[in-house]
Amino acid sequence: MAQLRLGVLCSGGKDSLFSCFRAMQEEEVACLVTLVPENPESYLFHTPNLHLVPLQAEAAGLPLVSEITTGIEEEEIDDLSRALAVAADRHGIEGVVTGALMSVYQSTRIQRVCHDLGLWCFNPLWYRDPERYMEQLITSGFRVIVSGVFSAPFDASWLGREIDLEALSALKQYARDFRITLTGEGGEYETLVLDAPFFQRRIAIEESVYWYKNYRGVLEVKKARLEER
Amino acid sequence: MILLVDPGFRAGSLSMDEFVLPVGRIVERSERDWRCQHYADMETEIPVGTEGVIICGTALKDNGFLAAIDRFDWLKKAGVPVLGICAGMQVLCLVFGGTVREGCEIGMTEVHVTVPHPILPPPPSFQAYELHSFSCEPPAGWETLAVSAACVQATRDPHHPRFGVMFHPEVRNDRVVEAFLEMCGG
């Protein structure tokens, strides 16, 4: 069978971009697809630093399909369906790739939308061993920072911290002692990808602000640009 | 060694990550070795040292294996326990004389146990993850162990340790795979 043309659902975090990396090894990635919620409490689509996805798409040399979603739970599915239909129309995608790790809620809904549109659906990180995945992420050349924390015991120093082997070791400790998921699957932390093995250039943050209180905080990137690696 | 057979559209595809590796993790947690082989690469017999075979699932749109069912003839001679998951159950049914028809379920679904068996959670019912566009009519003589509102969810060959489950046990029903592994030698 010839390579499939795929669109990768992208939130800007490690899971969607690692899935993109894996998809590129097997198939042809034709575009990134992102949904920008009006409602910051989106059930399905993560919000911090979504505005940097266009810069990531540019860094990767991939076209981006970006659609607004209401962020209202039941309407999000229609918005997703619309975005994927646009991607199919504009870039001829035959399938979708997601970074779903263990969320049955998220994957069920995306599987249904793909089924209705006649698209393939791939979740290459599905039920992946968390430690192995995190190690692979670091060793394969991703540069990922923590862009939000939403759980004890994360302090403010985690905002903007790069997930390297040392940070991973701390996360493993937290996973043991505080029962967070190592990958942040439970929403304990959010990430932003600044560099990936398939990026032609990397993202440099020029200006950012953060807020933090009681184990909850967000690093908001105000200004960023692409630079040579 | 437990042999995980990938019925996906291409060897090493993204489907392998999604449907074979999670089963491999459960096998590893049971402290057993496993190896993955694509169905198109299977010989007429299973590899020496195979203690059990699990035929894994495929992506919802990936049903090419249905048109290549003769590539699974080795199943007739395999003397070890076999578990077919989703696509794997469809394969088992077709190889041993059952039928497959269109029938789609996606997401968590109530599964009713009709005949209690150690491989399944206890009766009366349990929640299971579904992802299939075809469903099965098991071969004549096979015992139906569980059903959903839509179709047969678990079946077994009463004369050989061969089991088919339509749901994906690697999602929230690991115990099904573990119970199967306990039946495998080694």
Side-chain angles (χ1 to χ4, degrees), chain B residues 57-105:
Chain B
T58 61
L60 200 54
K61 254 185 94 74
D62 184 358
N63 298 295
F65 62 91
L66 291 173
I69 213 69
D70 55 327
R71 303 305 297 261
F72 294 92
D73 271 353
W74 49 270
L75 272 169
K76 293 174 186 162
K77 283 192 283 183
V80 299
V82 179
L83 172 65
I85 296 173
C86 193
M89 170 164 165
Q90 297 169 43
V91 166
L92 275 176
C93 283
L94 288 173
V95 167
F96 292 102
T99 55
V100 163
R101 59 179 165 77
E102 280 192 28
C104 183
E105 286 175 301

Side-chain angles (χ1 to χ4, degrees), chain B:
Chain B
M1 181 271 293
I2 303 298
L3 182 70
L4 305 186
V5 177
D6 176 8
F9 65 105
R10 194 193 300 133
S13 75
L14 297 176
S15 283
M16 189 202 64
D17 296 45
E18 186 170 345
F19 299 102
V20 180
L21 296 187
V23 177
R25 263 184 82 189
I26 301 172
V27 177
E28 276 166 36
R29 279 204 300 266
S30 299
E31 295 181 344
R32 302 186 75 123
D33 295 330
W34 61 275
R35 113 178 197 210
C36 172
Q37 199 157 332
H38 190 254
Y39 79 96
D41 299 328
M42 290 292 290
E43 309 286 344
T44 52
E45 287 179 32
I46 54 172
V48 177
T50 302
E51 291 153 345
V53 175
I54 302 178
I55 310 171
C56 300
T58 61
L60 200 54
K61 254 185 94 74
D62 184 358
N63 298 295
F65 62 91
L66 291 173
I69 213 69
D70 55 327
R71 303 305 297 261
F72 294 92
D73 271 353
W74 49 270
L75 272 169
K76 293 174 186 162
K77 283 192 283 183
V80 299
V82 179
L83 172 65
I85 296 173
C86 193
M89 170 164 165
Q90 297 169 43
V91 166
L92 275 176
C93 283
L94 288 173
V95 167
F96 292 102
T99 55
V100 163
R101 59 179 165 77
E102 280 192 28
C104 183
E105 286 175 301
I106 301 172
M108 295 308 289
T109 300
E110 183 90 352
V111 172
H112 301 273
V113 177
T114 50
V115 176
H117 190 281
I119 204 167
L120 293 178
S125 66
F126 60 97
Q127 288 284 315
Y129 185 65
E130 307 283 344
L131 192 65
H132 61 92
S133 44
F134 287 87
S135 58
C136 296
E137 191 58 50
W142 284 40
E143 187 175 37
T144 295
L145 303 177
V147 296
S148 66
C151 62
V152 175
Q153 287 291 328
T155 182
R156 78 174 184 113
D157 180 340
H159 305 297
H160 299 276
R162 295 181 186 126
F163 300 85
V165 291
M166 187 50 81
F167 59 91
H168 285 268
E170 69 275 21
V171 178
R172 300 188 183 181
N173 282 296
D174 300 24
R175 181 66 205 139
V176 171
V177 178
E178 290 163 3
F180 170 76
L181 293 172
E182 285 161 15
M183 292 178 218
C184 301

